[in-house]
């Protein structure tokens, strides 16, 4: 098992960091080979430049400067995201990673004829995990449409392996969470990771 963990949070002492550590712990327990990408710690630039946009569709140029990150994607069979949900969606840093790294020719294949759609490019990825926290309630997040969750577990999953297994765990109402609710959630993350790494599709959600 080769797992790429994309971690996105600006503060090391956050609960999201505790979730990250639990995810890494379970990966180690299951004997996975792990690569961790901490976007804030690495100073990742999420802004697509005018030049990058200009060469976006040119597969001979669009990987330049991103070779190591693209190599991570091609290396892994398990892709896991750990991040806070802000305004119901992905943090700008993480959205920028998707914009800049998931380029045509790597993440997906462009249409070849009129009225065709994109085709999957990351068929090496057979497991996709999403572990997040939400300040809003479960009900309000779903009312808005949970755009962050849909981007990853629907949009991104469509360009992974056909039968890609997924895991999702979210702690809602984080702003009024307690030590007890956070502890319960970490236990759920541990349980879910174990099932996920054994090839199950799982879903766990916690409310303060």
């Amino acid at each position: 098992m080769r797992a790429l963990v994309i971690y996105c949070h600006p503060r090391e002492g956050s609960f999201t960091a505790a979730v990250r550590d639990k995810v890494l712990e379970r990966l180690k327990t299951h004997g996975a080979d792990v690569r961790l990408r901490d976007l804030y710690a690495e100073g990742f630039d999420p802004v697509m430049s005018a030049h990058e946009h200009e060469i976006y569709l040119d597969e001979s140029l669009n990987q330049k400067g991103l070779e190591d990150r693209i190599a991570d994607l091609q290396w892994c069979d398990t892709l896991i995201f750990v991040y806070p949900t802000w305004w119901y969606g992905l943090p700008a840093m993480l959205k920028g990673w998707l914009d800049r790294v998931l380029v045509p020719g790597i993440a997906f294949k462009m249409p070849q004829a009129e009225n065709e759609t994109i085709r999957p490019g990351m068929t090496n990825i057979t497991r996709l995990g999403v572990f997040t926290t939400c300040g809003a309630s479960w009900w309000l997040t779903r009312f808005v449409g949970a755009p962050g969750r849909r981007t990853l577990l629907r949009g991104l999953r469509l360009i992974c392996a056909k039968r890609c297994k997924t895991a999702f765990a979210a702690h809602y109402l984080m702003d009024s969470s307690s030590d007890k609710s956070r502890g319960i959630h970490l236990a759920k993350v541990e349980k879910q990771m174990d099932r996920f790494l054994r090839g199950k599709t799982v879903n766990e959600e916690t409310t303060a």
Side-chain angles (χ1 to χ4, degrees), residues 1-146:
M1 187 188 311
R2 299 180 302 278
L4 173 61
V5 178
I6 305 298
Y7 173 69
C8 182
H9 198 287
R11 291 192 297 111
E12 180 54 33
S14 68
F15 181 66
T16 303
V19 173
R20 173 204 61 197
D21 292 345
K22 180 60 69 175
V23 167
L24 294 174
E25 172 196 300
R26 301 323 296 164
L27 286 168
K28 181 178 180 181
T29 297
H30 284 263
D33 190 359
V34 180
R35 294 183 184 179
L36 171 66
R37 285 290 192 174
D38 184 333
L39 300 185
Y40 275 96
E42 295 172 3
F44 177 75
D45 183 359
V47 179
M48 178 181 288
S49 68
H51 176 67
E52 285 178 319
H53 190 268
E54 183 178 2
I55 64 171
Y56 185 72
L57 297 179
D58 188 336
E59 295 178 16
S60 69
L61 297 174
N62 64 9
Q63 301 175 41
K64 189 173 182 180
L66 301 166
E67 292 87 353
D68 57 340
R69 299 182 186 279
I70 288 171
D72 287 342
L73 283 174
Q74 295 178 318
W75 164 84
C76 72
D77 56 37
T78 301
L79 178 59
I80 298 175
F81 295 91
V82 183
Y83 65 93
T85 294
W86 292 339
W87 279 104
Y88 310 102
L90 306 176
M93 178 78 78
L94 181 52
K95 180 59 169 60
W97 184 90
L98 298 178
D99 291 342
R100 294 189 62 219
V101 178
L102 301 188
V103 294
I106 299 298
F108 56 92
K109 300 175 183 178
M110 293 297 293
Q112 296 180 317
E114 187 176 353
N115 295 324
E116 282 190 355
T117 188
I118 62 171
R119 290 164 292 147
M122 300 193 297
T123 53
N124 54 299
I125 297 175
T126 59
R127 296 184 186 87
L128 176 63
V130 174
F131 296 87
T132 188
T133 59
C134 303
S137 66
W138 177 92
W139 181 90
L140 187 53
T141 301
R142 289 303 180 89
F143 176 77
V144 172

